[in-house]
Amino acid sequence: MSATVLTASALLLDMDGTLVNSDAVVERCWRRWALRHGLDPEAALKVVHGRQGYATMAVLLPDRPVEENYADNRVMLAEETADVDGVVPVGGAPAFMAAIADLPHALVTSADSALATARMTAAALPMPAVRVTAEQVGASKPDPEGFLKGAAELGFGPADCIVFEDSEAGIAAGRAAGMRVVGVGPRAAALSPDAHVEDLTQIRVETAEDGTIRLHVRAA
């Protein structure tokens, strides 16, 4: 079976859909929200992944005042943080996180700190020491701000970083940051990332003597 080898100095990891499968919670909460606002839940679910809630609401209700989106987003975050039923690690995530534990990496998520902690804990995954959550950025993915902040905090330039992402907004953010992207899961398959895996069991991590990270990406 063929494998692609990618090299990097640091890894930037999305959470939902990349490390943690939280689709059940996301879909429950957003279906309720869409129905409350007279929207088609299926249409809403096509744009929710990867963005902060207020940014999704702005897409779905473009004429609504932004203040209402921020207020609704606070309610949505509280609902999602309280609901961890069905939150599980993506396949291979525990072993992958163990393999990179001593390597430069950061979590870059559209979740806020409380939600990120709740979901990583529910999935029994270690929280990276370096993390960029919703509170730390002024613009949601697909804006590259979060990934650029994560790279800067780790001390590496964009060209030295590889992003792991599952969503259209996240992959666009990684590209806009000037980084290579490994797409994870079914949503990423059609988005032409630099490499694609169904889950993290297809990634093998090696470290060269000079500290370079070598990712062996097994073809699906």
Side-chain angles (χ1 to χ4, degrees):
M1 190 173 290
S2 64
T4 299
V5 179
L6 301 174
T7 60
S9 298
L11 307 178
L12 301 174
L13 315 172
D14 174 53
M15 181 179 70
D16 292 303
T18 301
L19 298 176
V20 173
N21 184 343
S22 56
D23 283 1
V25 179
V26 171
E27 294 187 7
R28 279 197 296 272
C29 291
W30 280 97
R31 282 181 190 279
R32 288 196 299 267
W33 183 89
L35 290 170
R36 285 200 300 268
H37 292 85
L39 299 173
D40 176 8
E42 297 306 320
L45 290 176
K46 291 179 180 177
V47 298
V48 303
H49 295 288
R51 293 180 172 88
Q52 291 189 41
Y54 74 84
T56 294
M57 294 167 190
V59 172
L60 295 171
L61 296 173
D63 298 324
R64 193 166 80 148
V66 66
E67 294 80 12
E68 292 185 35
N69 292 339
Y70 281 115
D72 251 13
N73 187 47
R74 287 191 290 272
V75 174
M76 177 70 74
L77 283 170
E79 288 182 7
E80 290 190 276
T81 302
D83 184 356
V84 293
D85 186 28
V87 173
V88 295
V90 165
F96 175 75
M97 293 300 286
I100 67 168
D102 296 326
L103 303 176
H105 69 283
L107 189 73
V108 181
T109 175
S110 295
D112 67 4
S113 181
L115 180 56
T117 299
R119 287 188 175 162
M120 292 291 280
T121 301
L125 294 174
M127 179 66 83
V130 177
R131 45 195 180 268
V132 180
T133 57
E135 300 95 330
Q136 295 164 269
V137 296
S140 173
K141 299 172 186 176
D143 192 281
E145 181 186 1
F147 286 125
L148 292 172
K149 281 195 168 183
E153 190 162 343
L154 291 171
F156 296 100
D160 295 320
C161 298
I162 290 178
V163 164
F164 282 71
E165 265 286 0
D166 72 301
S167 71
E168 183 174 9
I171 289 173
R175 286 201 181 111
M179 300 172 185
R180 290 158 294 155
V181 180
V182 174
V184 181
R187 282 188 288 271
L191 301 172
S192 302
D194 295 278
H196 175 258
V197 295
E198 292 300 325
D199 63 27
L200 297 172
T201 62
Q202 292 172 238
I203 303 284
R204 181 167 61 85
V205 182
E206 283 185 345
T207 311
E209 288 185 7
D210 64 357
T212 299
I213 301 167
R214 293 171 57 86
L215 300 174
H216 297 258
V217 185
R218 193 174 76 246

